[in-house]
C-alpha cells in the first residue's frame, strides 16, 4: 500500500502547550519530516497561570538540550523540592510531599514498612524526617542532589517554579530558530473535509492555513477537538468540585522558599508559587459554596506581598476529552482536559502527550488504531492523576464546612477506593504502570493525611528489630547535619542562576 506521509502539522495556540509541542517537534524532527506552523492570537492571549512543575519537567529541558541554569535565569525560576500542605487533614495540621525518596531500604525491606513497625512500637520521629527534600525544604536550603552522589541528599529530587509567560517566550524563540513558522491571527472558522477531517483554518483577516494534521492547543476553547469535531468532555466535578480560581501575582517578601504552598481553605485551597521576581498566588474554590468576590477577598487578605497586578478569575471544568486524539486532531494542554493544579500536573501532561504522539506518529490517513492506543494511554495518565488528587480530599477529617463534609463522604472512583482499602490493611499499594506518582508519593500523602495501616508487611519481622531504631536515628542525624551545612535556596540562586531584575512596566506617554 502506498504511504502518504504527513507533510505539514499545524498547531493552534501559543500558550505553554502550543510552544512545548512546537519545541519538541522542532527538536525531534529537525525540519526533516514535516513543516510545522503555529497560529496564535496576541489579542486572545494565554491563560497566564501554570507555574509549578514536577521533576520530569527537567528531563524535558534535557531532551531539548536546554541548559537548566540558563532556563532558570530566563524564566525567573526558583527550585521546588515538593509541596507543603497545610490544614488538609485538620485545621492546624501540615505535611510535606517531597520529590525523591524517603529513607533508604533497611536491608531488603522497604523503608516505609520498617518505619511503620517502628512507629507502632513507639518510634517518635515522623516519616518525612527521613526525606532529604522535606528536610531541605523545612530548613530553606537547596543544592542540586544529582551533583552530590554518595551524600545523604543524593536521593532527593526537584522541579522548578517558572514564570508561565517567560516559558512560552523562551520556547517560542527555541522553536522559531529551529524552523517553526509562527502566524499571528485569530482563527474564525475551521473547515472540514467530506470525511470529517480538519482541512484548513480561516483567519479573521481572510488568510487560510491548511495542514494534514492539527494539534489543538487553543486552551479551554478547544476550537478543533471540541467546537469543530464535537468530541465530548467527561466531567469529573462530582469528585473534584472546585471549578474556579482567583489568581494574583504579588511582590516577594524575603527569599523564595524552595517549595509550593497548598493551604486548604474553607471551600478549596490556596497556592503560593515563589519565583525570583514575584510570587504567584491563587484560591482554587467551589463556586457552589463561594462567590468570586468572597474568594478574592479571602485571597487578598492572606497573600503575603503587595499585589503587582489585579486579581484574575479563571473558571474551569475538571475532566477530560472523551477522545484526546480524533481523526487528524490531537488535543494538547487545556484543550485535552484539566485537573486542578494541586500537584502541578497539567504541564506534565503536555509533554507526556507529545511523547505518546511520537510513539504513535501517524501518516496522513491517521489510522484509527494509533489514535485508539494513544487515547487509552493518555486516559490512564489522566485517571491516575485524578485519583491521586482526590486522595488529598477524601482522606480529610475536616467537617467544618459543607465543602469538606461533601469531599469526605462522597463515593470514590472504585479503583481509588480499592487502593485506600488495600493500604489500610498493611501499607500495601497498587503499583501503577509507568505512573507519575509512585509508592513513595502515595505513602507521603496518606501518612500526611493521618491514614495509618492496621499492620505492616510480615517480611519486616525478619529484621533484628532492636537495631532498627538506632539505625534510623543515625540516618536522621546524618541527614540533618549534612543539610545544616548547605547554603540557603536564595543564596544558591544568587550564586548560580540569578535572573537580571525584570524591566519596569512601560509608562503611558
Ligand atoms: P492557553 O494558555 O490558554 O493558550 C491557548 C492559546 O490558544 C493562546 O495562545 C490563545 O491565543 C490561542 N487561541 C485560542 N483561541 C484562538 C483563536 N480563535 N485563534 C487563535 N488563537 C487562539 N499547570 C501546571 O503544570 N502547574 C500549575 O501550577 C498550574 N496551575 C494552574 C492554575 C490554574 C488556575 C489553571 C486554570 C491552570 C493551571 N495549570 C497548571 C495548567 C496550565 O496553566 C496549562 O496546562 C498550561 O498553561 C497550558 O495552557 P494551554 O497552552 O493549553 O492554554
Amino acid at each position: 500500500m502506498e504511504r502518504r506521509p504527513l507533510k505539514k502539522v499545524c498547531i493552534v495556540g501559543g500558550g505553554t502547550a502550543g510552544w512545548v509541542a512546537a519545541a519538541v517537534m522542532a527538536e525531534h524532527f529537525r525540519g526533516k519530516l514535516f513543516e510545522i506552523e503555529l497560529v496564535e492570537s496576541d489579542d486572545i492571549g494565554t491563560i497566564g497561570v501554570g507555574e509549578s512543575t514536577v521533576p520530569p519537567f527537567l528531563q524535558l529541558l534535557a531532551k531539548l538540550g536546554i541548559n537548566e541554569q540558563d532556563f532558570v535565569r530566563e524564566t525567573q525560576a526558583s527550585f521546588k523540592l515538593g509541596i507543603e500542605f497545610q490544614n488538609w487533614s485538620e485545621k492546624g495540621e501540615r505535611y510535606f510531599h517531597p520529590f525523591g525518596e524517603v529513607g533508604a531500604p533497611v536491608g531488603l525491606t522497604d523503608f516505609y514498612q520498617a518505619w511503620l513497625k517502628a512507629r507502632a512500637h513507639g518510634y517518635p520521629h515522623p516519616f518525612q524526617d527521613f526525606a532529604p527534600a522535606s528536610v531541605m525544604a523545612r530548613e530553606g536550603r537547596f543544592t542540586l542532589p544529582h551533583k552530590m552522589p554518595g551524600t545523604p541528599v543524593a536521593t532527593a529530587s526537584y522541579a522548578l517554579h517558572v514564570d508561565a509567560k517567560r516559558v512560552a517566550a523562551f520556547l517560542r524563540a527555541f522553536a522559531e530558530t529551529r524552523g517553526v513558522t509562527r502566524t499571528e491571527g485569530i482563527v474564525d472558522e475551521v473547515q472540514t473535509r467530506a470525511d470529517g477531517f480538519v482541512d484548513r483554518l480561516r483567519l479573521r483577516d481572510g488568510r487560510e492555513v491548511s495542514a494534514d494534521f492539527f494539534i489543538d492547543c487553543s486552551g479551554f476553547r478547544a476550537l478543533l477537538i471540541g467546537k469543530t469535531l464535537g468530541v465530548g468532555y467527561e466531567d469529573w466535578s462530582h469528585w473534584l468540585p472546585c471549578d474556579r480560581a482567583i489568581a494574583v501575582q504579588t511582590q516577594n517578601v524575603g527569599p523564595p522558599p524552595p517549595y509550593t504552598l497548598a493551604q486548604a481553605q474553607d471551600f478549596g485551597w490556596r497556592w503560593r508559587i515563589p519565583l525570583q521576581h514575584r510570587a504567584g498566588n491563587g484560591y482554587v474554590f467551589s463556586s457552589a459554596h463561594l462567590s468570586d468576590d468572597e474568594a478574592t477577598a479571602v485571597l487578598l487578605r492572606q497573600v503575603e506581598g503587595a499585589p503587582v497586578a489585579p486579581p484574575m478569575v479563571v473558571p474551569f471544568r475538571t475532566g477530560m476529552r472523551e477522545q484526546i486524539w480524533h481523526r487528524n486532531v490531537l488535543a494538547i494542554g487545556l484543550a485535552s482536559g484539566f485537573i486542578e493544579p494541586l500537584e502541578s500536573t497539567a504541564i506534565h501532561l503536555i509533554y507526556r502527550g507529545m511523547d505518546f504522539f511520537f510513539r504513535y506518529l501517524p501518516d496522513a490517513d491517521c489510522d484509527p488504531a494509533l489514535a485508539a492506543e494513544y487515547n487509552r494511554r493518555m486516559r490512564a495518565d489522566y485517571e491516575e492523576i485524578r485519583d491521586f488528587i482526590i486522595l488529598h480530599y477524601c482522606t480529610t477529617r475536616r467537617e467544618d464546612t459543607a465543602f469538606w463534609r461533601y469531599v469526605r463522604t462522597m463515593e470514590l472512583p472504585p479503583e481509588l477506593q480499592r487502593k485506600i482499602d488495600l493500604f489500610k490493611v498493611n501499607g500495601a499499594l497498587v503499583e501503577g504502570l509507568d505512573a507519575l506518582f509512585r509508592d513513595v508519593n502515595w505513602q507521603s500523602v496518606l501518612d500526611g493525611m493521618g491514614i495509618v495501616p492496621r499492620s505492616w508487611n510480615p517480611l519486616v519481622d525478619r529484621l533484628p528489630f532492636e537495631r532498627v531504631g538506632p539505625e534510623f536515628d543515625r540516618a536522621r542525624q546524618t541527614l540533618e547535619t549534612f543539610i545544616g551545612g548547605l547554603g540557603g535556596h536564595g543564596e544558591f540562586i544568587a550564586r548560580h542562576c540569578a535572573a537580571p531584575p525584570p524591566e519596569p512596566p512601560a509608562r503611558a506617554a
Side-chain angles (χ1 to χ4, degrees):
M1 198 185 82
E2 200 191 328
R3 282 187 52 217
R4 271 197 321 119
L6 292 178
K7 289 208 181 72
K8 180 172 171 191
V9 172
C10 172
I11 301 168
V12 180
T16 305
W19 285 114
V20 166
V24 294
M25 283 201 293
E27 177 64 17
H28 222 77
F29 303 133
R30 300 185 174 251
K32 292 216 170 63
L33 281 192
F34 42 72
E35 187 191 333
I36 306 164
E37 179 169 355
L38 183 147
V39 181
E40 69 170 320
S41 159
D42 287 340
D43 291 340
I44 294 176
T46 63
I47 193 156
V49 283
E51 305 202 314
S52 189
T53 66
V54 287
F57 185 75
L58 300 170
Q59 290 158 23
L60 168 73
L61 297 183
K63 266 193 217 165
L64 293 175
I66 294 171
N67 177 286
E68 193 176 301
Q69 295 190 354
D70 290 347
F71 185 83
V72 167
R73 237 176 255 120
E74 292 284 325
T75 61
Q76 294 275 355
S78 73
F79 295 92
K80 171 182 173 189
L81 291 161
I83 304 176
E84 178 166 277
F85 289 90
Q86 294 179 357
N87 303 338
W88 283 81
S89 56
E90 297 268 17
K91 275 188 176 175
E93 296 281 321
R94 60 175 66 197
Y95 69 94
F96 198 79
H97 175 196
F99 293 138
E101 300 304 326
V102 182
V106 185
L108 295 175
T109 306
D110 175 44
F111 174 80
Y112 177 74
Q113 285 289 339
W115 174 83
L116 204 55
K117 179 173 176 186
R119 180 196 146 118
H121 288 78
Y123 187 73
H125 295 289
F127 185 50
Q128 291 305 329
D129 275 12
F130 300 88
S134 296
V135 180
M136 274 198 278
R138 189 182 71 204
E139 303 298 323
R141 301 186 186 258
F142 186 75
T143 188
L144 296 174
H146 59 272
K147 297 260 168 86
M148 298 263 156
T151 72
V153 295
T155 58
S157 186
Y158 66 100
L160 298 178
H161 300 121
V162 295
D163 180 310
K165 294 227 184 273
R166 287 167 200 259
V167 169
F170 185 100
L171 293 175
R172 172 181 163 185
F174 179 95
E176 285 187 314
T177 52
R178 284 161 183 76
V180 172
T181 313
R182 173 181 182 268
T183 298
E184 150 62 34
I186 295 187
V187 178
D188 249 355
E189 197 192 326
V190 181
Q191 294 176 352
T192 50
R193 303 186 321 221
D195 60 2
F197 277 42
V198 171
D199 186 39
R200 63 190 58 230
L201 315 173
R202 182 182 283 275
L203 307 189
R204 185 156 294 175
D205 59 11
R207 280 175 299 163
E208 288 191 342
V209 180
S210 57
D212 318 296
F213 196 89
F214 292 82
I215 303 192
D216 186 350
C217 297
S218 63
F220 287 133
R221 287 179 177 80
L223 276 187
L224 280 70
I225 196 85
K227 222 166 144 200
T228 307
L229 297 189
V231 174
Y233 193 80
E234 195 172 306
D235 190 311
W236 290 335
S237 50
H238 48 296
W239 287 313
L240 292 166
C242 290
D243 58 355
R244 281 174 107 71
I246 308 291
V248 70
Q249 300 176 353
T250 55
Q251 286 173 352
N252 274 340
V253 284
Y259 58 88
T260 301
L261 172 70
Q263 186 188 59
Q265 300 288 324
D266 289 349
F267 305 105
W269 59 279
R270 171 170 78 89
W271 82 73
R272 183 192 62 205
I273 299 174
L275 303 177
Q276 290 192 34
H277 60 317
R278 63 160 170 84
N281 307 269
Y283 186 175
V284 174
F285 65 99
S286 153
S287 65
H289 298 95
L290 196 71
S291 71
D292 289 352
D293 287 348
E294 287 166 324
T296 307
V298 172
L299 179 63
L300 292 179
R301 227 178 15 248
Q302 295 191 9
V303 292
E304 285 119 345
V308 294
M312 178 174 88
V313 182
V314 190
F316 59 81
R317 197 167 141 225
T318 294
M320 70 174 284
R321 287 281 146 208
E322 282 159 4
Q323 289 150 293
I324 290 181
W325 175 356
H326 186 51
R327 297 189 179 133
N328 64 340
V329 173
L330 174 73
I332 295 283
L334 299 172
S336 70
F338 182 61
I339 301 168
E340 62 181 68
L342 190 56
E343 287 279 357
S344 330
T345 44
I347 297 172
H348 173 76
L349 285 169
I350 294 173
Y351 44 82
R352 267 299 258 196
M354 290 309 293
D355 278 351
F356 282 121
F357 180 56
F358 296 152
R359 198 179 294 180
Y360 304 112
L361 200 63
D363 284 338
D365 64 346
C366 292
D367 192 313
L370 294 170
E373 182 53 15
Y374 180 95
N375 288 327
R376 188 189 71 79
R377 270 318 275 111
M378 286 306 290
R379 171 170 287 274
D381 274 23
Y382 260 94
E383 290 182 352
E384 180 222 331
I385 291 171
R386 176 198 70 193
D387 287 0
F388 192 63
I389 301 303
I390 298 173
L391 180 74
H392 296 65
Y393 285 102
C394 69
T395 48
T396 187
R397 296 191 296 280
R398 285 183 66 158
E399 287 194 316
D400 52 307
T401 67
F403 174 84
W404 289 103
R405 286 192 292 276
Y406 173 77
V407 295
R408 190 191 156 141
T409 53
M410 67 190 170
E411 193 175 327
L412 301 182
E415 187 56 13
L416 173 60
Q417 186 65 63
R418 191 170 80 82
K419 280 186 180 160
I420 296 173
D421 291 345
L422 179 69
F423 181 80
K424 284 181 178 170
V425 176
N426 68 358
L429 286 161
V430 179
E431 287 194 14
L433 185 73
D434 192 18
L436 173 64
F437 296 112
R438 297 173 306 115
D439 287 8
V440 66
N441 305 106
W442 284 80
Q443 289 158 350
S444 290
V445 172
L446 283 157
D447 177 68
M449 293 301 288
I451 307 295
V452 183
R454 291 190 288 277
S455 184
W456 52 86
N457 185 319
L459 284 174
V460 178
D461 296 333
R462 291 173 312 185
L463 297 173
F465 200 64
E466 61 296 344
R467 296 222 296 267
V468 168
E471 226 176 86
F472 280 2
D473 280 340
R474 261 193 308 279
R476 210 174 45 80
Q477 277 150 15
T478 311
L479 181 63
E480 264 183 26
T481 309
F482 187 84
I483 288 173
L486 297 175
H489 176 228
E491 285 166 56
F492 184 90
I493 292 175
R495 196 166 333 123
H496 299 288
C497 42
E503 292 185 7
R507 305 239 321 248

